[in-house]
Amino acid sequence: KSGPKPPVDEHAEVEHIYQRILQHQSEAAAKRGKAYTVTIPGTTIAFDMVGVPAGEFLMGSPDSDPQHSKDEQPQHKVQIDPFWMQAHEVTWDEYRLFMFATQAGEIEHKDEIVDGTTRPTRPYVEMSFGMGINGFPAISMTQHAANKYAEWLSAKTGEFYRLPTEAEWEYACRAGTTTPFYFGSDASQLGDYAWYSKNSGGKYQKVATKKPNPWGLFDMLGNVSEWTLDEYEPYPAKTETDPWVKATTPYPQSVRGGSWFDGADRNRCAARLPSDPSWKQQDPQLPKSIWYETDAQWLGFRLIHPAKVPPVAEMYQYWNNGVEHDEQ
């Protein structure tokens, strides 16, 4: 007689994924260049990865930026290890494979490691809100959901993926520049590089349809804002190496990049946004869903693939911050 399934041992699942990544590491490394394309196994869906070199930069805004905010200061030096970043935000084409795995044909490609990854509950509304699916950015997921997508994608591909830290995100966005925008200081040029309040038509647009930054990354500013790994905290006044502010509470977490909803001031490389409980205001569930930010229809994410594979314990922490349940 069948009964309820036993609870998933997430530490064991991460160990299994880690072993798969190690097995694929040499093969995958041989295929990687400065830029490369990944096709999600068992599908025809692909995405591009762009190489981000190691380096040092000044994180935050100087006083000379007339639109700087207090939370963007003090400027401080940060050293970053190399990684690859998705060339554009995760699209519905990719994310729906994770949300609706059994409806996407995955049942025909049985994989215990992939199947062990926790998946979202069914959404209670149509999550694109009529703005478009094919080629458009996925939106309104929690940071927890983005982390679990990274775990699922790592299991599927045998390559390690995670959200970028806030420092990694800004470093990649700036792409070696020091101006408020990665194309300079003239906000009148923003429309050539970003979908924002003046040109978006009040909704998100297809990814990679504007000019990229100098490193070939599209939509780092505008279109949809992007989750990072970090808890939102004041900046330190010291040099840091690959900083990661680990979450200790459900709110606030750091979001970057501005969106189709925002003006030019929020679409600067240094602009920061703290997550907020109001992003789930329409959620009828009690407690609130750990998967959906229904009121944040301008919020998405993209992933990175670090050059170094972390140990299992650290990998687990990247995908499980432990504070996904709302406390209110």
Side-chain angles (χ1 to χ4, degrees):
K1 186 177 180 179
S2 62
K5 292 182 179 180
V8 174
D9 183 344
E10 291 186 334
H11 285 87
E13 295 300 332
V14 172
E15 174 67 39
H16 294 155
I17 297 171
Y18 175 77
Q19 293 301 327
R20 172 169 289 184
I21 289 170
L22 292 186
Q23 291 169 9
H24 285 77
Q25 193 172 11
S26 58
E27 176 187 347
K31 296 178 181 178
R32 285 196 295 265
K34 186 175 181 181
Y36 65 100
T37 300
V38 179
T39 299
I40 299 177
T43 79
T44 59
I45 305 301
F47 56 88
D48 295 326
M49 300 294 293
V50 174
V52 175
E56 183 180 87
F57 80 114
L58 276 176
M59 186 173 181
S61 289
D63 290 333
S64 58
D65 180 355
Q67 295 184 316
H68 76 269
S69 297
K70 289 182 178 179
D71 67 348
E72 300 163 14
Q73 294 184 321
Q75 272 196 313
H76 56 291
K77 285 185 179 180
V78 179
Q79 297 174 346
I80 299 291
D81 283 338
F83 57 90
W84 286 267
M85 177 176 260
Q86 289 182 304
H88 56 69
E89 297 138 344
V90 173
T91 64
W92 283 119
D93 310 70
E94 301 153 50
Y95 194 70
R96 283 163 64 89
L97 296 175
F98 168 62
M99 286 180 67
F100 307 113
T102 55
Q103 288 77 38
E106 187 173 295
I107 196 167
E108 299 174 7
H109 305 278
K110 188 69 176 174
D111 186 323
E112 290 184 4
I113 295 178
V114 174
D115 292 345
T117 305
T118 306
R119 308 292 178 82
T121 55
R122 277 193 167 275
Y124 48 89
V125 294
E126 196 282 302
M127 293 305 296
S128 76
F129 299 92
M131 292 189 284
I133 294 175
N134 295 333
F136 291 90
I139 58 165
S140 296
M141 72 292 293
T142 61
Q143 187 199 54
H144 172 72
N147 286 333
K148 285 302 171 184
Y149 174 81
E151 181 176 354
W152 172 85
L153 186 65
S154 299
K156 286 284 285 184
T157 61
E159 291 202 353
F160 173 57
Y161 292 96
R162 63 167 170 82
L163 285 174
T165 64
E166 196 174 1
E168 289 167 335
W169 189 96
E170 184 173 330
Y171 177 67
C173 180
R174 289 189 176 282
T177 66
T178 58
T179 47
F181 310 98
Y182 47 69
F183 52 83
S185 301
D186 185 1
S188 69
Q189 297 180 31
L190 183 60
D192 293 335
Y193 297 85
W195 294 107
Y196 71 119
S197 60
K198 285 189 175 181
N199 67 355
S200 67
K203 65 186 186 72
Y204 62 50
Q205 301 292 330
K206 285 193 173 182
V207 300
T209 52
K210 292 291 185 179
K211 293 180 181 179
N213 77 359
W215 286 348
L217 296 164
F218 294 88
D219 302 314
M220 291 296 286
L221 301 178
N223 212 14
V224 295
S225 299
E226 300 177 16
W227 281 115
T228 72
L229 273 174
D230 291 36
E231 186 167 281
Y232 175 89
E233 283 193 354
Y235 284 157
K238 62 179 181 180
T239 300
E240 296 185 294
T241 300
D242 288 314
W244 171 23
V245 183
K246 297 179 183 179
T248 58
T249 61
Y251 301 99
Q253 314 303 328
S254 290
V255 173
R256 289 302 208 107
S259 75
W260 59 265
F261 182 78
D262 297 305
D265 61 320
R266 302 304 307 164
N267 278 282
R268 295 173 299 110
C269 295
R272 310 173 71 199
L273 179 67
S275 64
D276 190 87
S278 66
W279 296 1
K280 295 182 182 181
Q281 189 171 340
Q282 294 182 55
D283 187 346
Q285 302 177 89
L286 290 173
K288 300 291 189 181
S289 172
I290 64 172
W291 298 104
Y292 302 108
E293 304 276 10
T294 316
D295 293 78
Q297 297 167 17
W298 35 261
L299 175 63
F301 70 103
R302 77 180 75 204
L303 300 178
I304 70 166
H305 167 58
K308 296 178 182 177
V309 177
V312 174
E314 187 175 334
M315 191 175 287
Y316 177 86
Q317 288 185 322
Y318 284 130
W319 295 334
N320 300 273
N321 68 12
V323 294
E324 60 269 17
H325 294 276
D326 292 9
E327 293 178 337
Q328 69 274 8

Short mmCIF file of all heavy atoms in Angstrom, two decimals, residues 123-178:
data_model
loop_
_atom_site.label_atom_id
_atom_site.label_comp_id
_atom_site.label_asym_id
_atom_site.label_seq_id
_atom_site.Cartn_x
_atom_site.Cartn_y
_atom_site.Cartn_z
N PRO A 123 1.16 27.97 -10.03
CA PRO A 123 0.77 29.36 -9.80
C PRO A 123 -0.75 29.51 -9.79
O PRO A 123 -1.46 28.74 -10.43
CB PRO A 123 1.39 30.11 -10.99
CG PRO A 123 1.49 29.08 -12.06
CD PRO A 123 1.78 27.78 -11.36
N TYR A 124 -1.25 30.48 -9.05
CA TYR A 124 -2.68 30.69 -8.95
C TYR A 124 -3.18 31.75 -9.93
O TYR A 124 -4.37 32.03 -10.01
CB TYR A 124 -3.08 31.07 -7.52
CG TYR A 124 -2.23 32.15 -6.90
CD1 TYR A 124 -2.56 33.48 -7.05
CD2 TYR A 124 -1.08 31.81 -6.18
CE1 TYR A 124 -1.76 34.47 -6.50
CE2 TYR A 124 -0.29 32.79 -5.62
CZ TYR A 124 -0.64 34.12 -5.79
OH TYR A 124 0.16 35.10 -5.24
N VAL A 125 -2.25 32.37 -10.68
CA VAL A 125 -2.61 33.29 -11.76
C VAL A 125 -1.68 32.99 -12.94
O VAL A 125 -0.69 32.29 -12.78
CB VAL A 125 -2.45 34.78 -11.36
CG1 VAL A 125 -3.45 35.15 -10.28
CG2 VAL A 125 -1.03 35.07 -10.90
N GLU A 126 -2.00 33.51 -14.10
CA GLU A 126 -1.14 33.36 -15.28
C GLU A 126 0.04 34.31 -15.10
O GLU A 126 -0.11 35.52 -15.05
CB GLU A 126 -1.94 33.69 -16.55
CG GLU A 126 -1.29 33.21 -17.83
CD GLU A 126 -0.16 34.11 -18.27
OE1 GLU A 126 -0.41 35.30 -18.49
OE2 GLU A 126 0.98 33.62 -18.39
N MET A 127 1.25 33.73 -14.97
CA MET A 127 2.38 34.48 -14.44
C MET A 127 3.04 35.46 -15.41
O MET A 127 3.84 36.29 -14.99
CB MET A 127 3.43 33.51 -13.89
CG MET A 127 2.98 32.73 -12.66
SD MET A 127 2.41 33.79 -11.30
CE MET A 127 3.91 34.67 -10.90
N SER A 128 2.70 35.41 -16.70
CA SER A 128 3.24 36.44 -17.60
C SER A 128 2.34 37.66 -17.62
O SER A 128 2.71 38.69 -18.20
CB SER A 128 3.39 35.89 -19.02
OG SER A 128 2.14 35.81 -19.67
N PHE A 129 1.15 37.57 -17.00
CA PHE A 129 0.19 38.66 -16.94
C PHE A 129 -0.10 39.25 -18.32
O PHE A 129 -0.28 40.46 -18.48
CB PHE A 129 0.68 39.74 -15.97
CG PHE A 129 0.84 39.23 -14.57
CD1 PHE A 129 2.08 38.74 -14.13
CD2 PHE A 129 -0.22 39.21 -13.69
CE1 PHE A 129 2.23 38.24 -12.84
CE2 PHE A 129 -0.08 38.71 -12.39
CZ PHE A 129 1.15 38.22 -11.97
N GLY A 130 -0.08 38.38 -19.32
CA GLY A 130 -0.42 38.78 -20.68
C GLY A 130 0.64 39.57 -21.41
O GLY A 130 0.39 40.09 -22.50
N MET A 131 1.85 39.64 -20.86
CA MET A 131 2.90 40.46 -21.48
C MET A 131 3.74 39.69 -22.50
O MET A 131 4.55 40.29 -23.20
CB MET A 131 3.81 41.06 -20.40
CG MET A 131 3.12 42.11 -19.53
SD MET A 131 4.24 43.01 -18.43
CE MET A 131 4.52 41.80 -17.15
N GLY A 132 3.57 38.37 -22.58
CA GLY A 132 4.32 37.59 -23.56
C GLY A 132 5.16 36.51 -22.92
O GLY A 132 5.62 36.66 -21.78
N ILE A 133 5.36 35.40 -23.66
CA ILE A 133 6.10 34.26 -23.13
C ILE A 133 7.34 33.93 -23.96
O ILE A 133 8.46 34.00 -23.47
CB ILE A 133 5.18 33.03 -23.01
CG1 ILE A 133 4.10 33.28 -21.95
CG2 ILE A 133 5.98 31.77 -22.64
CD1 ILE A 133 3.07 32.20 -21.83
N ASN A 134 7.18 33.55 -25.20
CA ASN A 134 8.32 33.11 -26.01
C ASN A 134 9.30 34.25 -26.27
O ASN A 134 8.97 35.22 -26.96
CB ASN A 134 7.83 32.52 -27.33
CG ASN A 134 7.02 31.25 -27.14
OD1 ASN A 134 7.19 30.54 -26.16
ND2 ASN A 134 6.11 30.99 -28.06
N GLY A 135 10.50 34.12 -25.70
CA GLY A 135 11.52 35.14 -25.87
C GLY A 135 11.45 36.28 -24.88
O GLY A 135 12.27 37.20 -24.92
N PHE A 136 10.49 36.21 -23.95
CA PHE A 136 10.34 37.26 -22.95
C PHE A 136 10.90 36.79 -21.60
O PHE A 136 10.93 35.59 -21.32
CB PHE A 136 8.86 37.63 -22.79
CG PHE A 136 8.27 38.34 -23.97
CD1 PHE A 136 7.68 37.62 -25.00
CD2 PHE A 136 8.31 39.72 -24.05
CE1 PHE A 136 7.12 38.27 -26.08
CE2 PHE A 136 7.76 40.38 -25.14
CZ PHE A 136 7.16 39.66 -26.16
N PRO A 137 11.31 37.73 -20.75
CA PRO A 137 11.90 37.34 -19.46
C PRO A 137 10.87 36.75 -18.51
O PRO A 137 9.73 37.23 -18.44
CB PRO A 137 12.46 38.65 -18.92
CG PRO A 137 11.63 39.72 -19.56
CD PRO A 137 11.31 39.20 -20.93
N ALA A 138 11.26 35.71 -17.77
CA ALA A 138 10.42 35.17 -16.70
C ALA A 138 10.39 36.17 -15.56
O ALA A 138 11.38 36.84 -15.27
CB ALA A 138 10.97 33.83 -16.23
N ILE A 139 9.25 36.26 -14.89
CA ILE A 139 9.09 37.29 -13.85
C ILE A 139 8.38 36.74 -12.62
O ILE A 139 7.84 35.64 -12.62
CB ILE A 139 8.28 38.51 -14.37
CG1 ILE A 139 6.89 38.06 -14.86
CG2 ILE A 139 9.04 39.26 -15.44
CD1 ILE A 139 5.90 39.21 -15.05
N SER A 140 8.39 37.57 -11.59
CA SER A 140 7.57 37.40 -10.38
C SER A 140 7.89 36.15 -9.58
O SER A 140 7.03 35.62 -8.88
CB SER A 140 6.07 37.42 -10.73
OG SER A 140 5.71 38.68 -11.25
N MET A 141 9.12 35.66 -9.65
CA MET A 141 9.54 34.55 -8.80
C MET A 141 10.29 35.09 -7.58
O MET A 141 10.87 36.18 -7.62
CB MET A 141 10.43 33.57 -9.57
CG MET A 141 11.84 34.07 -9.88
SD MET A 141 11.89 35.43 -11.08
CE MET A 141 11.33 34.56 -12.54
N THR A 142 10.25 34.35 -6.48
CA THR A 142 11.01 34.73 -5.30
C THR A 142 12.49 34.43 -5.51
O THR A 142 12.88 33.71 -6.44
CB THR A 142 10.53 33.95 -4.07
OG1 THR A 142 10.72 32.55 -4.31
CG2 THR A 142 9.07 34.24 -3.76
N GLN A 143 13.31 34.96 -4.63
CA GLN A 143 14.73 34.61 -4.66
C GLN A 143 14.91 33.11 -4.45
O GLN A 143 15.76 32.47 -5.09
CB GLN A 143 15.50 35.39 -3.59
CG GLN A 143 17.02 35.20 -3.67
CD GLN A 143 17.72 35.59 -2.39
OE1 GLN A 143 17.38 35.10 -1.31
NE2 GLN A 143 18.70 36.48 -2.50
N HIS A 144 14.09 32.53 -3.59
CA HIS A 144 14.13 31.09 -3.35
C HIS A 144 13.85 30.33 -4.64
O HIS A 144 14.54 29.35 -4.96
CB HIS A 144 13.09 30.72 -2.29
CG HIS A 144 12.90 29.24 -2.09
ND1 HIS A 144 13.84 28.45 -1.48
CD2 HIS A 144 11.88 28.41 -2.45
CE1 HIS A 144 13.41 27.19 -1.46
NE2 HIS A 144 12.22 27.14 -2.05
N ALA A 145 12.86 30.75 -5.40
CA ALA A 145 12.54 30.09 -6.66
C ALA A 145 13.69 30.20 -7.64
O ALA A 145 14.02 29.24 -8.36
CB ALA A 145 11.27 30.70 -7.26
N ALA A 146 14.33 31.37 -7.70
CA ALA A 146 15.49 31.54 -8.59
C ALA A 146 16.63 30.62 -8.17
O ALA A 146 17.32 30.03 -9.01
CB ALA A 146 15.94 33.00 -8.57
N ASN A 147 16.84 30.49 -6.86
CA ASN A 147 17.88 29.58 -6.35
C ASN A 147 17.59 28.14 -6.73
O ASN A 147 18.49 27.38 -7.12
CB ASN A 147 17.99 29.69 -4.83
CG ASN A 147 18.67 30.96 -4.37
OD1 ASN A 147 19.49 31.54 -5.09
ND2 ASN A 147 18.34 31.42 -3.18
N LYS A 148 16.32 27.74 -6.62
CA LYS A 148 15.95 26.36 -6.95
C LYS A 148 16.02 26.10 -8.45
O LYS A 148 16.34 24.98 -8.88
CB LYS A 148 14.55 26.05 -6.41
CG LYS A 148 14.54 25.84 -4.90
CD LYS A 148 15.48 24.71 -4.52
CE LYS A 148 15.69 24.57 -3.04
NZ LYS A 148 16.69 23.53 -2.72
N TYR A 149 15.75 27.12 -9.24
CA TYR A 149 15.95 26.97 -10.69
C TYR A 149 17.43 26.73 -10.98
O TYR A 149 17.79 25.89 -11.82
CB TYR A 149 15.47 28.21 -11.44
CG TYR A 149 15.78 28.16 -12.92
CD1 TYR A 149 14.96 27.45 -13.80
CD2 TYR A 149 16.89 28.81 -13.44
CE1 TYR A 149 15.26 27.38 -15.15
CE2 TYR A 149 17.19 28.75 -14.79
CZ TYR A 149 16.37 28.04 -15.64
OH TYR A 149 16.67 27.97 -16.99
N ALA A 150 18.31 27.46 -10.29
CA ALA A 150 19.75 27.28 -10.48
C ALA A 150 20.16 25.85 -10.12
O ALA A 150 20.98 25.23 -10.81
CB ALA A 150 20.52 28.28 -9.63
N GLU A 151 19.59 25.32 -9.04
CA GLU A 151 19.89 23.94 -8.64
C GLU A 151 19.39 22.95 -9.70
O GLU A 151 20.11 22.02 -10.09
CB GLU A 151 19.24 23.64 -7.29
CG GLU A 151 19.52 22.23 -6.78
CD GLU A 151 18.93 21.99 -5.39
OE1 GLU A 151 18.42 22.94 -4.77
OE2 GLU A 151 18.99 20.83 -4.93
N TRP A 152 18.16 23.15 -10.16
CA TRP A 152 17.58 22.28 -11.19
C TRP A 152 18.41 22.32 -12.47
O TRP A 152 18.71 21.28 -13.07
CB TRP A 152 16.15 22.74 -11.47
CG TRP A 152 15.49 22.07 -12.62
CD1 TRP A 152 14.82 20.87 -12.61
CD2 TRP A 152 15.41 22.56 -13.97
NE1 TRP A 152 14.34 20.59 -13.87
CE2 TRP A 152 14.68 21.60 -14.72
CE3 TRP A 152 15.88 23.70 -14.62
CZ2 TRP A 152 14.42 21.76 -16.08
CZ3 TRP A 152 15.63 23.87 -15.97
CH2 TRP A 152 14.91 22.90 -16.68
N LEU A 153 18.81 23.53 -12.91
CA LEU A 153 19.60 23.67 -14.14
C LEU A 153 20.96 23.00 -13.98
O LEU A 153 21.48 22.39 -14.92
CB LEU A 153 19.76 25.14 -14.49
CG LEU A 153 20.42 25.43 -15.84
CD1 LEU A 153 19.55 24.93 -16.99
CD2 LEU A 153 20.71 26.93 -15.99
N SER A 154 21.54 23.11 -12.80
CA SER A 154 22.84 22.46 -12.54
C SER A 154 22.70 20.95 -12.64
O SER A 154 23.57 20.27 -13.20
CB SER A 154 23.35 22.85 -11.15
OG SER A 154 23.55 24.25 -11.06
N ALA A 155 21.60 20.41 -12.10
CA ALA A 155 21.35 18.97 -12.18
C ALA A 155 21.14 18.54 -13.63
O ALA A 155 21.62 17.48 -14.06
CB ALA A 155 20.14 18.60 -11.33
N LYS A 156 20.42 19.34 -14.39
CA LYS A 156 20.11 19.01 -15.79
C LYS A 156 21.35 19.02 -16.66
O LYS A 156 21.53 18.15 -17.53
CB LYS A 156 19.10 20.01 -16.37
CG LYS A 156 17.69 19.85 -15.88
CD LYS A 156 16.97 18.66 -16.52
CE LYS A 156 16.55 18.92 -17.95
NZ LYS A 156 15.76 17.79 -18.51
N THR A 157 22.22 20.01 -16.46
CA THR A 157 23.34 20.22 -17.39
C THR A 157 24.66 19.63 -16.91
O THR A 157 25.58 19.44 -17.72
CB THR A 157 23.56 21.73 -17.61
OG1 THR A 157 23.88 22.35 -16.35
CG2 THR A 157 22.32 22.38 -18.20
N GLY A 158 24.79 19.39 -15.60
CA GLY A 158 26.09 18.96 -15.08
C GLY A 158 27.08 20.09 -14.96
O GLY A 158 28.29 19.87 -14.85
N GLU A 159 26.59 21.34 -14.97
CA GLU A 159 27.43 22.52 -14.75
C GLU A 159 26.84 23.31 -13.58
O GLU A 159 25.61 23.39 -13.44
CB GLU A 159 27.49 23.40 -16.00
CG GLU A 159 28.24 22.79 -17.15
CD GLU A 159 28.76 23.84 -18.13
OE1 GLU A 159 28.40 25.02 -17.97
OE2 GLU A 159 29.51 23.46 -19.03
N PHE A 160 27.69 23.91 -12.77
CA PHE A 160 27.24 24.61 -11.59
C PHE A 160 26.75 26.01 -11.92
O PHE A 160 27.49 26.82 -12.48
CB PHE A 160 28.36 24.69 -10.55
CG PHE A 160 28.01 25.54 -9.36
CD1 PHE A 160 26.90 25.25 -8.59
CD2 PHE A 160 28.79 26.63 -9.00
CE1 PHE A 160 26.56 26.03 -7.49
CE2 PHE A 160 28.47 27.41 -7.91
CZ PHE A 160 27.35 27.11 -7.15
N TYR A 161 25.51 26.31 -11.57
CA TYR A 161 24.92 27.62 -11.76
C TYR A 161 24.39 28.15 -10.43
O TYR A 161 23.93 27.39 -9.58
CB TYR A 161 23.75 27.57 -12.75
CG TYR A 161 24.17 27.26 -14.16
CD1 TYR A 161 24.11 25.95 -14.64
CD2 TYR A 161 24.62 28.26 -15.02
CE1 TYR A 161 24.50 25.65 -15.94
CE2 TYR A 161 25.01 27.97 -16.32
CZ TYR A 161 24.94 26.66 -16.77
OH TYR A 161 25.33 26.37 -18.06
N ARG A 162 24.42 29.46 -10.29
CA ARG A 162 23.85 30.13 -9.12
C ARG A 162 23.55 31.57 -9.47
O ARG A 162 23.99 32.09 -10.51
CB ARG A 162 24.79 30.06 -7.91
CG ARG A 162 26.13 30.78 -8.11
CD ARG A 162 26.85 30.92 -6.79
NE ARG A 162 28.23 31.38 -6.89
CZ ARG A 162 28.61 32.65 -7.01
NH1 ARG A 162 27.71 33.61 -7.09
NH2 ARG A 162 29.89 32.97 -7.06
N LEU A 163 22.82 32.24 -8.58
CA LEU A 163 22.63 33.68 -8.70
C LEU A 163 23.96 34.39 -8.49
O LEU A 163 24.82 33.91 -7.74
CB LEU A 163 21.64 34.19 -7.66
CG LEU A 163 20.15 33.91 -7.87
CD1 LEU A 163 19.36 34.37 -6.66
CD2 LEU A 163 19.64 34.59 -9.13
N PRO A 164 24.17 35.55 -9.11
CA PRO A 164 25.38 36.32 -8.82
C PRO A 164 25.25 37.02 -7.47
O PRO A 164 24.14 37.33 -7.02
CB PRO A 164 25.40 37.36 -9.95
CG PRO A 164 23.96 37.56 -10.30
CD PRO A 164 23.31 36.20 -10.11
N THR A 165 26.38 37.24 -6.82
CA THR A 165 26.36 38.13 -5.66
C THR A 165 26.11 39.55 -6.17
O THR A 165 26.23 39.83 -7.36
CB THR A 165 27.68 38.10 -4.90
OG1 THR A 165 28.72 38.61 -5.76
CG2 THR A 165 28.04 36.69 -4.45
N GLU A 166 25.79 40.43 -5.25
CA GLU A 166 25.56 41.82 -5.64
C GLU A 166 26.82 42.42 -6.26
O GLU A 166 26.75 43.17 -7.24
CB GLU A 166 25.10 42.63 -4.43
CG GLU A 166 24.48 43.95 -4.81
CD GLU A 166 23.89 44.71 -3.64
OE1 GLU A 166 23.97 44.22 -2.49
OE2 GLU A 166 23.33 45.79 -3.87
N ALA A 167 27.99 42.08 -5.71
CA ALA A 167 29.25 42.61 -6.24
C ALA A 167 29.53 42.04 -7.63
O ALA A 167 29.95 42.78 -8.53
CB ALA A 167 30.39 42.27 -5.29
N GLU A 168 29.31 40.75 -7.82
CA GLU A 168 29.51 40.15 -9.15
C GLU A 168 28.58 40.78 -10.17
O GLU A 168 28.98 41.05 -11.31
CB GLU A 168 29.27 38.64 -9.09
CG GLU A 168 30.36 37.88 -8.36
CD GLU A 168 29.96 36.44 -8.05
OE1 GLU A 168 28.75 36.15 -7.95
OE2 GLU A 168 30.87 35.61 -7.85
N TRP A 169 27.34 41.05 -9.75
CA TRP A 169 26.37 41.63 -10.67
C TRP A 169 26.84 43.02 -11.11
O TRP A 169 26.85 43.33 -12.32
CB TRP A 169 24.99 41.72 -10.01
CG TRP A 169 23.94 42.12 -11.02
CD1 TRP A 169 23.11 41.29 -11.71
CD2 TRP A 169 23.66 43.44 -11.48
NE1 TRP A 169 22.34 42.02 -12.58
CE2 TRP A 169 22.65 43.35 -12.45
CE3 TRP A 169 24.16 44.71 -11.16
CZ2 TRP A 169 22.14 44.46 -13.12
CZ3 TRP A 169 23.65 45.82 -11.82
CH2 TRP A 169 22.65 45.69 -12.79
N GLU A 170 27.22 43.87 -10.17
CA GLU A 170 27.62 45.23 -10.54
C GLU A 170 28.91 45.23 -11.36
O GLU A 170 29.05 46.01 -12.31
CB GLU A 170 27.79 46.12 -9.30
CG GLU A 170 28.11 47.57 -9.68
CD GLU A 170 28.12 48.52 -8.50
OE1 GLU A 170 27.37 48.29 -7.52
OE2 GLU A 170 28.89 49.51 -8.56
N TYR A 171 29.83 44.35 -11.00
CA TYR A 171 31.08 44.23 -11.76
C TYR A 171 30.79 43.86 -13.23
O TYR A 171 31.33 44.47 -14.16
CB TYR A 171 31.96 43.16 -11.11
CG TYR A 171 33.26 42.86 -11.82
CD1 TYR A 171 34.28 43.81 -11.88
CD2 TYR A 171 33.47 41.62 -12.41
CE1 TYR A 171 35.48 43.52 -12.52
CE2 TYR A 171 34.66 41.32 -13.05
CZ TYR A 171 35.67 42.27 -13.10
OH TYR A 171 36.85 41.99 -13.73
N ALA A 172 29.91 42.88 -13.43
CA ALA A 172 29.56 42.47 -14.79
C ALA A 172 28.79 43.56 -15.51
O ALA A 172 28.97 43.78 -16.72
CB ALA A 172 28.73 41.19 -14.74
N CYS A 173 27.92 44.27 -14.80
CA CYS A 173 27.14 45.34 -15.40
C CYS A 173 28.05 46.47 -15.88
O CYS A 173 27.93 46.94 -17.02
CB CYS A 173 26.13 45.88 -14.41
SG CYS A 173 25.09 47.23 -15.03
N ARG A 174 28.97 46.89 -15.04
CA ARG A 174 29.87 47.99 -15.39
C ARG A 174 30.79 47.62 -16.55
O ARG A 174 31.15 48.46 -17.37
CB ARG A 174 30.70 48.40 -14.18
CG ARG A 174 29.89 49.11 -13.11
CD ARG A 174 30.78 49.69 -12.03
NE ARG A 174 30.01 50.45 -11.05
CZ ARG A 174 29.57 51.69 -11.24
NH1 ARG A 174 29.83 52.30 -12.38
NH2 ARG A 174 28.89 52.31 -10.29
N ALA A 175 31.22 46.36 -16.61
CA ALA A 175 32.07 45.88 -17.72
C ALA A 175 33.28 46.78 -17.94
O ALA A 175 33.62 47.15 -19.06
CB ALA A 175 31.25 45.78 -19.00
N GLY A 176 33.93 47.15 -16.83
CA GLY A 176 35.14 47.95 -16.92
C GLY A 176 34.91 49.45 -16.95
O GLY A 176 35.88 50.22 -16.96
N THR A 177 33.66 49.90 -16.95
CA THR A 177 33.37 51.33 -16.98
C THR A 177 33.21 51.87 -15.56
O THR A 177 33.02 51.11 -14.61
CB THR A 177 32.08 51.62 -17.77
OG1 THR A 177 30.95 51.06 -17.08
CG2 THR A 177 32.16 51.02 -19.18
N THR A 178 33.26 53.18 -15.41
CA THR A 178 33.15 53.82 -14.09
C THR A 178 32.05 54.87 -14.06
O THR A 178 31.88 55.57 -13.06
CB THR A 178 34.48 54.48 -13.70
OG1 THR A 178 34.84 55.45 -14.69
CG2 THR A 178 35.59 53.44 -13.58
#
